[in-house]
Amino acid sequence: MRQRAELQTILQKSLLLSPILDHWGRIALPNAFLVAGAIAQTVWNHAFGLPAAHGIGDIDIAYFDSDDLSAETEAGHATRIRGLFGDLPVAIDVKNEARVHLWYEEKFGAPLEPYGSSEEAIATFPTTATAVGIRPSSKGLDVYAPFGLDDLLAAIVRANKKQITREIYERKTDRWSALWPQLQIVSWDQQPN
């Protein structure tokens, strides 16, 4: 509970993420979460005393709609949501996790079984610190973190080897260590399969 409150306090101070969380009802997508890198990078910026937008290239919103797998509908939601938050200085990426298996192999070279929910998709995100989804709830902040919040709040980067390859992990960690040199990055070889 303490970690959830700490995360909520950090995110409420974010000039990038708090406007989205404050107006979450306008997102209006099924099983939607604010996810991944922007959450971790916001926590790192807070921990290391960096500007709120430092190193954040985009903000990811994941949702799950197995009744509509069309790229056009997903793109329409992305356009609508970008319009809602057009004053933010970073792009917003919106993905229907129910359709990821349709394009994953072409982009990453390996087939992917369809996900059954947003939560199932989040559990495959590339690192333990970025495998986090959040959304406002009546209790404050609904957090889905299958690996917990320890690595995220301690600025530790560890691979989630469910889908990521060594090459992709090392490319991410090389970029991140250049932007956040204080990160504690656990090498690929130091982690179990």
Side-chain angles (χ1 to χ4, degrees), residues 74 95-96 99-108:
E74 180 183 75
K95 290 283 184 270
N96 181 0
R99 66 179 307 279
V100 171
H101 67 282
L102 299 175
W103 53 262
Y104 188 89
E105 184 172 8
E106 185 176 323
K107 183 171 181 174
F108 294 108

Side-chain angles (χ1 to χ4, degrees), residues 16 38 41 53-59 89-92 175 180:
L16 294 178
Q41 294 158 3
H54 174 81
I56 299 176
D58 65 6
I59 297 169
V90 297
I92 297 178
R175 176 183 172 271
W180 298 278

Side-chain angles (χ1 to χ4, degrees), residues 7-183:
L7 178 60
Q8 184 168 351
T9 298
I10 293 168
L11 298 178
Q12 285 174 334
K13 294 177 185 177
S14 168
L15 300 176
L16 294 178
L17 302 186
S18 64
I20 294 172
L21 294 170
D22 289 346
H23 299 285
W24 190 254
R26 298 172 73 192
I27 301 292
L29 292 172
N31 199 21
F33 287 91
L34 181 63
V35 296
I39 296 169
Q41 294 158 3
T42 296
V43 171
W44 300 340
N45 287 340
H46 173 82
F48 304 135
L50 296 167
H54 174 81
I56 299 176
D58 65 6
I59 297 169
D60 296 306
I61 295 174
Y63 72 100
F64 193 86
D65 184 358
S66 58
D67 293 332
D68 189 342
L69 301 181
S70 74
E72 295 77 21
T73 298
E74 180 183 75
H77 288 311
T79 298
R80 176 181 61 81
I81 291 168
R82 286 182 192 123
L84 292 173
F85 302 104
D87 55 334
L88 294 178
V90 297
I92 297 178
D93 188 30
V94 178
K95 290 283 184 270
N96 181 0
E97 296 297 337
R99 66 179 307 279
V100 171
H101 67 282
L102 299 175
W103 53 262
Y104 188 89
E105 184 172 8
E106 185 176 323
K107 183 171 181 174
F108 294 108
L112 179 72
E113 288 295 316
Y115 295 128
S117 66
S118 293
E119 291 87 348
E120 190 177 312
I122 292 166
T124 67
F125 286 4
T127 72
T128 56
T130 60
V132 176
I134 59 169
R135 59 186 170 201
S137 73
S138 60
K139 296 175 263 179
L141 194 63
D142 182 12
V143 177
Y144 181 72
F147 302 101
L149 297 174
D150 290 349
D151 285 354
L152 172 63
L153 294 172
I156 297 170
V157 177
R158 189 181 323 270
N160 172 14
K161 293 185 176 182
K162 288 184 180 174
Q163 280 178 204
I164 195 171
T165 64
R166 178 187 197 124
E167 177 187 23
I168 293 171
Y169 178 71
E170 290 177 348
R171 194 171 358 161
K172 283 183 177 299
T173 57
D174 286 349
R175 176 183 172 271
W176 292 345
S177 64
L179 290 164
W180 298 278
Q182 303 95 323
L183 285 174

